[in-house]
Amino acid sequence: MAAVKLFYSDAPGRGEIIRLVLSVAGVDFDDVRYKYEDWPKYKPEAPFGQAPFIEYNGKKYGQSVAIANFFSRENGLYGASNLEAFRIDEVAGLVQDLFTCLIPVFIEKDPAKKEELRAAMVKNDAPRFFGFFQKFLQENGTGYLVGNKLSLGDLIIYDMTTQLLKTFQYDAAADFPEIKTLVDNVEGNENIKAYIDSRK
């Protein structure tokens, strides 16, 4: 039996960064995916009544950022110094800000208004945030956010890049060369390759 169980819907969402971290780290985990309508039967198990959450060493924990941070620290994915960890935390914070920009698109019911919001987000908000990420990558100059190897920060940027492309038709990798390099570096990781294949 796997040491970790991850509970989240059968979608990328906020659970995907945890899946990516666990996959890169080579941590054996049960990827418990449920359909939206089945959430009520899992909700009583969730520490805060929300997902994602994990079961680890017999105890349940919540909050996607905290979970990803914990397993990154445990497995050498949080940078080689406090300063590198600081940069990773900056990226994590910026992504939470980007999520705030995405929420109005998700909750809008009117199709025409929804498309208007999506187009505005793709034109203004997404390029602004990915511009920040590109600047960080240019400053480091190795193809990675910090140091010269994969970290949580790279996985966070990769996750947002791929999710925005699929959900909002925004291709950050096409607009920013450094983002494209980062995507290639992440997908070049053997454990990530195996995980992507398993999703298919």
Side-chain angles (χ1 to χ4, degrees):
M1 184 172 68
V4 179
K5 279 187 179 180
L6 170 63
F7 298 84
Y8 195 64
S9 66
D10 189 17
R14 292 183 181 270
E16 192 68 4
I17 187 61
I18 303 170
R19 294 174 182 137
L20 292 169
V21 168
L22 292 172
S23 296
V24 167
V27 174
D28 186 25
F29 70 103
D30 287 336
D31 193 2
V32 181
R33 298 178 182 232
Y34 53 81
K35 296 186 182 301
Y36 178 78
E37 58 268 24
D38 293 331
W39 167 238
K41 79 176 185 180
Y42 291 97
K43 186 174 181 178
E45 298 182 51
F48 312 114
Q50 59 190 27
F53 66 98
I54 63 163
E55 183 177 312
Y56 176 62
N57 290 338
K59 186 173 180 178
K60 294 186 173 66
Y61 300 87
Q63 291 295 323
S64 59
V65 173
I67 295 167
N69 288 355
F70 171 75
F71 285 107
S72 294
R73 289 191 180 100
E74 288 286 290
N75 293 279
L77 295 170
Y78 218 97
S81 68
N82 285 337
L83 193 58
E84 289 189 357
F86 192 178
R87 176 49 45 96
I88 292 169
D89 289 342
E90 282 186 301
V91 165
L94 285 168
V95 164
Q96 296 309 307
D97 292 343
L98 178 53
F99 271 128
T100 301
C101 298
L102 304 180
I103 290 170
V105 186
F106 275 116
I107 65 176
E108 179 58 52
K109 301 299 183 185
D110 178 74
K113 180 64 175 175
K114 191 181 190 75
E115 173 55 25
E116 182 182 323
L117 291 171
R118 184 204 68 81
M121 187 279 297
V122 164
K123 180 180 179 182
N124 301 311
D125 296 315
R128 177 164 59 94
F129 283 97
F130 279 93
F132 297 147
F133 302 150
Q134 173 166 267
K135 181 182 176 184
F136 292 161
L137 290 164
Q138 289 172 337
E139 288 175 358
N140 192 46
T142 66
Y144 297 98
L145 179 68
V146 296
N148 57 6
K149 66 177 184 177
L150 207 58
S151 74
L152 171 62
D154 300 305
L155 297 176
I156 291 171
I157 296 172
Y158 172 80
D159 184 32
M160 287 307 299
T161 302
T162 54
Q163 288 209 49
L164 282 181
L165 176 58
K166 291 175 182 176
T167 308
F168 297 97
Q169 295 85 55
Y170 176 68
D171 190 353
D175 291 342
F176 298 100
E178 286 78 6
I179 301 292
K180 172 68 167 62
T181 298
L182 181 144
V183 168
D184 291 343
N185 286 340
V186 172
E187 292 184 345
N189 179 277
E190 291 301 321
N191 289 349
I192 289 293
K193 284 182 183 177
Y195 169 64
I196 291 173
D197 288 343
S198 75
R199 289 189 312 196
K200 298 173 183 176

